[in-house]
Amino acid sequence: MQDSQQLLQRLNRRGEPLSKGQKRIAEYIAQNYDKAVSMTAGMLGKACGVSESTVVRFAGALGYEGYPEMQATLRSLVRQRLTAEQRFAIASAIDPHNLMATVLRNDMQNIRKTVDALSQDEFEKAVAAITGARRLYVMGLRSAAPLAQFMYHYLHQICDDVVLVGHTTVDVYEEVERIGSEDVFIGISFPRYSSSTLECMRFAREGGATVIGLTDGEMSPVMGASDICLCAATDMAGFVDSLAAPLSLINALVLAAGLSRSAELTEHFKRLEDIWDAHSVYIGKTNE
């Protein structure tokens, strides 16, 4: 119950007392947040025994311009609370005949949201930090692990010293023990947020490093552990995390960092191509 009250306190921007009818809505959200997050104003009103207009006024009383804005905030708040079982229940509600289109449209919408909300200034700060770092540390665990591996793979080709944290048998703190003020730590974490990634981000910050966070929004705990934070929308259509927008953001970061070293990388990639051809790393004309 205390956790539910904390949820409502964070949702209530104005912090003002609620009317009797509004309290009924608040109580329903607190007890059924996994269902409320996907309800329309009319559906929520019916579930609470109030009118749709009462739900809309409830959103206004909390300090939102309308119900959609409140619902978006609620979605950000509860995504980290949803269990695997609750996530699967959301997926089960999708019409199997429309599943493919639903998932792909959801990914498209996430990328569109990311483009609209992303700060160009923060993006450029992140690129400058990456290209100016003595050593780069990249960390992402669980569902974020493929993102970290993808970023490491390409940063390793354009930067001299890159470390992928948390993917060896060595303790993660041993991997970042030598981190310092000339280094950059990139922490990638999306709901449900990894406590290990957050702890390492804080450790890196205490060591004087610049910490770049990649996460889903301002409600994320990653925001408070970062010097520079870039957000990518990851609203999911089911129990599988939507990583299309985060991957596109990483793609943009790596490309921007690479283009800042254009002449150097041109020569580097020429040498790599000779090595790859000599060892038949890729299928070429001789393999056809």
Side-chain angles (χ1 to χ4, degrees):
M1 185 63 184
Q2 183 181 2
D3 188 55
S4 297
Q5 290 303 319
Q6 290 175 354
L7 173 67
L8 292 175
Q9 287 170 8
R10 295 182 67 187
L11 191 63
N12 191 345
R13 290 177 173 176
R14 290 180 177 169
E16 298 177 356
L18 301 175
S19 68
K20 188 174 180 179
Q22 291 168 348
K23 285 181 179 179
R24 289 172 63 184
I25 302 172
E27 288 172 2
Y28 181 87
I29 291 175
Q31 296 171 9
N32 305 276
Y33 57 81
D34 55 319
K35 297 177 182 177
V37 72
S38 59
M39 285 181 169
T40 63
M43 292 167 63
L44 181 57
K46 185 176 181 180
C48 299
V50 299
S51 66
E52 181 176 346
S53 59
T54 300
V55 175
V56 174
R57 287 196 296 271
F58 169 75
L62 296 187
Y64 298 94
E65 292 184 1
Y67 180 75
E69 185 184 7
M70 187 201 77
Q71 188 180 40
T73 303
L74 176 63
R75 187 179 294 114
S76 297
L77 286 171
V78 305
R79 282 179 62 224
Q80 60 185 288
R81 301 163 183 261
L82 295 177
T83 65
E85 182 181 1
Q86 289 170 329
R87 287 179 171 215
F88 188 74
I90 293 173
S92 300
I94 302 174
D95 182 350
H97 298 291
N98 296 325
L99 191 146
M100 181 191 69
T102 298
V103 172
L104 293 180
R105 288 195 187 101
N106 187 70
D107 282 347
M108 291 167 61
Q109 187 176 22
N110 283 333
I111 292 175
R112 191 176 298 112
K113 286 180 182 177
T114 301
V115 172
D116 292 341
L118 193 63
S119 166
Q120 181 67 28
D121 183 54
E122 289 293 289
F123 179 84
E124 291 175 1
K125 286 180 182 178
V127 173
I130 289 170
T131 56
R134 176 189 64 176
R135 182 182 293 115
L136 288 168
Y137 295 83
V138 182
M139 184 175 186
L141 301 179
R142 301 188 68 81
S143 64
L147 296 174
Q149 291 169 340
F150 178 87
M151 192 172 199
Y152 166 79
H153 174 77
Y154 284 102
L155 285 179
H156 183 68
Q157 294 185 17
I158 64 178
C159 299
D160 294 331
D161 198 348
V162 187
V163 178
L164 181 62
V165 180
H167 293 263
T168 67
T169 56
V170 178
D171 184 86
V172 291
Y173 292 105
E174 293 180 36
E175 294 183 84
V176 299
E177 186 269 331
R178 296 182 180 179
I179 199 165
S181 59
E182 297 178 81
D183 303 324
V184 169
F185 186 98
I186 303 172
I188 308 171
S189 192
F190 294 86
R192 304 159 71 181
Y193 307 106
S194 164
S195 56
S196 295
T197 301
L198 282 167
E199 288 172 8
C200 276
M201 290 175 72
R202 297 185 183 111
F203 182 88
R205 210 173 186 184
E206 290 170 2
T210 298
V211 177
I212 300 173
L214 301 183
T215 191
D216 62 314
E218 294 181 358
M219 297 294 180
S220 167
V222 171
M223 183 74 70
S226 307
D227 297 300
I228 304 167
C229 196
L230 302 176
C231 298
T234 58
D235 286 350
M236 56 189 178
F239 66 96
V240 179
D241 292 327
S242 172
L243 300 179
L247 189 61
S248 290
L249 175 56
I250 289 171
N251 191 358
L253 279 172
V254 173
L255 183 58
L259 290 176
S260 70
R261 299 179 176 179
S262 182
E264 176 187 343
L265 282 180
T266 297
E267 293 303 316
H268 172 66
F269 284 128
K270 284 181 180 179
R271 293 192 298 271
L272 278 180
E273 286 294 339
D274 290 338
I275 293 171
W276 292 337
D277 286 344
H279 296 277
S280 301
V281 173
Y282 297 110
I283 297 176
K285 292 181 179 179
T286 56
N287 301 101
E288 292 177 354

